[in-house]
Amino acid sequence: MKKFLAALCIFLCTCSLFATTIKIMSFNVNGFDDEKRNKNHQVLVDGNGQVKIRNEIWFNNVCTIIKNSGADIVLMQEFYIQQNEFADKAVEYFCSRLGGSWVYISTKDYINKGKNYSEDQNNIIFYNNTKVNKSSNSIVNFSSPSEYRFAKNNTQVVEFSVSGEATKKFLIINVHLPRPAEKGKGGKHESDLESLENMFRDFKNKDYRFVIGGDFNESYQKLKNRKFDGAFIDSDRMESLWTMVYNVPKKNEDIIKARIPKNGGPNDLDHFIVFGFKANNMHHVFRHDWESSKKDYSDGIQIGANRYTKPDDYRENVSDHLPIMIELEL
């Protein structure tokens, strides 16, 4: 019996040593190419195909966050692609700044041109192809009226495999849902959540392993009551991480004051829904102890050589969201 237990311990330890860990980041970068919205966060391409960055500090901060995080896959929201003949130049430039091993999949491959559906393209998946490879991006046919419909064309479903281990496959689903309708009267937010529930059910029944990550515009408390049975949502903690940095009345207030929106309530809008994996705790990319309400945040957020202690400065030079990370064992 002792020999059996010893052998079992050796086997379990060996399996643990050979487990593959994948790190996934989700980050709404609050970037637009729309002059009427955020002029500060723009990656533009002129008629000659030349890339223009309106705020280099913002662009460098986003690149630094990704490079320093150790992420293998980055789910990015609000990185709009300019719709002209050089549509991909901005994203290609972004990859070049990250490094030669980074490639991308944009929402343009998933555009649904059906009636009453937006043609926004604001989701990007970046991935490090030394760690993972794209197996397929045809898991869902978004162009068919009979398939899942999302109001903003902002849901990507991509199958990945671990580099050198083709049997270790999994799905990544990058979402950015609309804001809820006022007074809870349904709207596109509710219909998109229902589509996501249907997708979850179908993928679960097909024995896929998958991760849904992104900006849900929904709190953890409400999300956990949706039809995601058997899923691992945000580490299944009672309260999720705050993920959005709000403006505060006084500019000299520190960034901790930006946790609570003016109308009160939680500001945990970004989440991970995990099925079929062993998932380690979700955390902020910048530091792992930010869920502690006892922490003094006056030291701010450090990004490379830049430190941000004021919410207005962070929003101007980074985003109105905080990037989050989760680790998966395959």
Side-chain angles (χ1 to χ4, degrees):
M1 184 65 179
K2 289 182 178 179
K3 289 183 179 180
F4 171 77
L5 291 174
L8 180 61
C9 287
I10 293 172
F11 173 76
L12 292 175
C13 290
T14 302
C15 290
S16 179
L17 287 173
F18 286 97
T20 301
T21 300
I22 299 295
K23 295 182 178 180
I24 302 173
M25 179 198 297
S26 178
F27 191 15
N28 181 324
V29 293
N30 187 29
F32 299 100
D33 68 359
D34 185 344
E35 290 281 350
K36 296 179 182 179
R37 301 182 76 176
N38 193 334
K39 296 182 180 180
N40 192 42
H41 296 177
Q42 290 181 305
V43 183
L44 305 174
V45 185
D46 66 22
N48 297 316
Q50 297 298 308
V51 175
K52 178 183 178 182
I53 309 299
R54 189 173 291 273
N55 182 348
E56 278 284 351
I57 296 175
W58 166 74
F59 193 81
N60 288 335
N61 278 334
V62 173
C63 291
T64 298
I65 288 167
I66 293 173
K67 288 191 288 188
N68 291 351
S69 69
D72 303 304
I73 301 173
V74 177
L75 314 183
M76 192 173 286
Q77 304 90 40
E78 294 194 26
F79 193 107
Y80 283 78
I81 300 176
Q82 218 176 354
Q83 293 308 291
N84 59 24
E85 60 182 308
F86 303 110
D88 290 336
K89 289 289 185 180
V91 198
E92 290 169 2
Y93 180 72
F94 192 96
C95 284
S96 71
R97 292 281 289 266
L98 291 177
S101 60
W102 284 89
V103 289
Y104 72 93
I105 306 163
S106 80
T107 325
K108 76 169 191 175
D109 297 326
Y110 303 83
I111 274 296
N112 184 336
K113 297 185 182 299
K115 185 179 180 180
N116 297 326
Y117 283 82
S118 165
E119 294 188 10
D120 284 351
Q121 301 182 31
N122 63 2
N123 278 19
I124 301 283
I125 297 176
F126 292 99
Y127 63 96
N128 188 329
N129 65 8
T130 63
K131 189 66 176 286
V132 295
N133 294 308
K134 182 187 74 171
S135 299
S136 173
N137 60 356
S138 58
I139 302 298
V140 173
N141 179 12
F142 286 101
S143 64
S144 169
S146 63
E147 288 286 355
Y148 315 99
R149 303 302 295 268
F150 291 90
K152 292 172 65 179
N153 287 318
N154 51 6
T155 300
Q156 294 172 275
V157 181
V158 181
E159 184 178 58
F160 284 93
S161 63
V162 177
S163 296
E165 301 179 74
T167 58
K168 291 188 175 180
K169 294 183 178 181
F170 55 96
L171 301 184
I172 291 291
I173 303 160
N174 183 19
V175 303
H176 185 191
L177 302 188
R179 293 180 180 179
E182 291 185 6
K183 299 181 181 179
K185 295 181 180 179
K188 293 179 179 180
H189 177 76
E190 178 62 26
S191 65
D192 274 17
L193 271 172
E194 290 174 358
S195 290
L196 202 60
E197 288 172 333
N198 293 336
M199 183 179 287
F200 177 91
R201 178 201 61 215
D202 293 347
F203 288 168
K204 177 181 175 180
N205 290 340
K206 293 177 182 178
D207 293 325
Y208 280 116
R209 295 189 297 175
F210 55 92
V211 178
I212 309 172
D215 180 359
F216 288 76
N217 272 303
E218 187 68 277
S219 72
Y220 167 73
Q221 293 295 335
K222 292 182 180 179
L223 199 61
K224 72 175 184 177
N225 294 323
R226 304 291 304 200
K227 297 176 183 177
F228 299 117
D229 297 337
F232 184 86
I233 303 176
D234 288 5
S235 305
D236 289 337
R237 70 178 95 233
M238 291 302 293
E239 293 183 9
S240 189
L241 299 180
W242 62 292
T243 62
M244 191 166 184
V245 177
Y246 287 86
N247 285 323
V248 292
K250 299 178 182 179
K251 288 191 175 183
N252 63 343
E253 289 184 319
D254 65 45
I255 204 159
I256 189 62
K257 299 295 195 305
R259 289 182 68 176
I260 307 300
K262 293 178 180 178
N263 59 351
N267 70 356
D268 52 323
L269 303 181
D270 304 80
H271 308 280
F272 290 108
I273 298 175
V274 181
F275 185 82
F277 293 102
K278 178 182 178 182
N280 296 323
N281 284 347
M282 188 183 89
H283 56 79
H284 286 115
V285 170
F286 302 125
R287 61 199 306 167
H288 295 193
D289 60 348
W290 272 25
E291 55 267 43
S292 170
S293 60
K294 299 177 182 178
K295 179 69 181 175
D296 178 8
Y297 296 90
S298 60
D299 56 351
I301 297 173
Q302 186 77 33
I303 304 173
N306 300 323
R307 183 184 296 276
Y308 298 98
T309 60
K310 305 296 185 292
D312 289 348
D313 293 338
Y314 178 84
R315 287 168 62 95
E316 179 181 354
N317 292 300
V318 188
S319 176
D320 56 352
H321 287 253
L322 294 164
I324 56 175
M325 182 94 79
I326 198 164
E327 299 177 7
L328 307 174
E329 291 187 19
L330 281 73

